[in-house]
């Protein structure tokens, strides 16, 4: 048995033929807000940064988002070069330790990325370029340090 649309009781605030007036001011900008910085393309971000600089607005959020558009794919290269080094360092500990270490390193990278971009970068505590690329640099140095210890 399927329920018809009239099977539920109607919710009314008075008599059905009374007009109801809502005195709430609608703001069109809240409905049609521009997309957030991470959702924009590289070209749109560059235009937004240039426009913000032209009219004197703070474009730190857009600058950090632009840098993360390039630093996140570069993180794959960093992990691809660092992972074999750590695999060799922890080869004798067994397969489970390698899986556990990889999960730990990815979580550590993600936390470093969030702190760097969302806290340091967006608040202006770091240069947007440095905020976007700092986790990659840190993990590359960790890989080089581990490689040096291998020799």
């Amino acid at each position: 048995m399927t329920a018809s649309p009239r099977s539920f009781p109607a919710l009314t605030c008075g008599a059905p033929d009374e007009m109801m007036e809502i005195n709430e001011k609608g703001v069109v900008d809240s409905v049609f807000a521009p997309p957030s910085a991470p959702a924009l393309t590289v070209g749109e971000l560059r235009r937004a940064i240039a426009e913000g600089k032209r009219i004197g607005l703070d474009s730190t959020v857009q600058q950090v988002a632009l840098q993360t558009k390039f630093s996140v794919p570069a993180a794959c290269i960093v992990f691809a070069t660092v992972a074999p080094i750590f695999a060799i360092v922890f080869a004798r500990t067994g397969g489970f330790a390698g899986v556990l270490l990889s999960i730990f390193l990815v979580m550590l990278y993600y936390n470093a990325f969030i702190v760097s971009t969302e806290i340091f970068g967006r608040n202006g505590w770091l240069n947007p370029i440095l905020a976007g690329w700092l986790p990659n640099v840190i993990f590359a140095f960790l890989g080089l340090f581990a490689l040096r210890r291998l020799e």
Side-chain angles (χ1 to χ4, degrees):
M1 178 174 173
T2 61
S4 68
R6 296 184 183 257
S7 65
F8 297 105
L11 299 174
T12 59
C13 295
D17 29 327
E18 279 184 32
M19 289 295 290
M20 188 167 146
E21 185 176 328
I22 299 174
N23 292 325
E24 182 69 30
K25 185 177 183 180
V27 180
V28 176
D29 289 339
S30 66
V31 176
F32 300 108
S36 64
L40 299 175
T41 64
V42 173
E44 292 170 339
L45 280 171
R46 287 186 176 148
R47 282 191 293 278
I49 292 167
E51 181 68 20
K53 285 183 179 180
R54 188 181 67 78
I55 61 176
L57 292 176
D58 183 26
S59 61
T60 305
V61 174
Q62 289 91 1
Q63 290 177 5
V64 171
L66 179 65
Q67 293 304 316
T68 58
K69 293 277 186 192
F70 296 106
S71 68
V72 170
C76 296
I77 297 169
V78 170
F79 276 116
T81 56
V82 169
I85 297 167
F86 285 116
I88 292 169
V89 169
F90 293 99
R92 293 184 181 160
T93 58
F96 180 71
V99 171
L100 192 63
L101 177 68
S102 65
I103 292 170
F104 174 73
L105 285 176
V106 168
M107 295 302 279
L108 186 66
Y109 174 85
Y110 181 73
N111 285 319
F113 178 78
I114 292 298
V115 168
S116 177
T117 57
E118 299 295 323
I119 297 173
F120 294 153
R122 289 182 185 244
N123 290 327
W125 298 343
L126 281 178
N127 183 349
I129 295 171
L130 184 61
W133 290 92
L134 185 63
N136 292 349
V137 171
I138 290 172
F139 274 78
F141 278 131
L142 283 175
L144 291 174
F145 178 73
L147 180 63
R148 183 73 180 150
R149 290 196 64 210
L150 273 178
E151 294 175 2

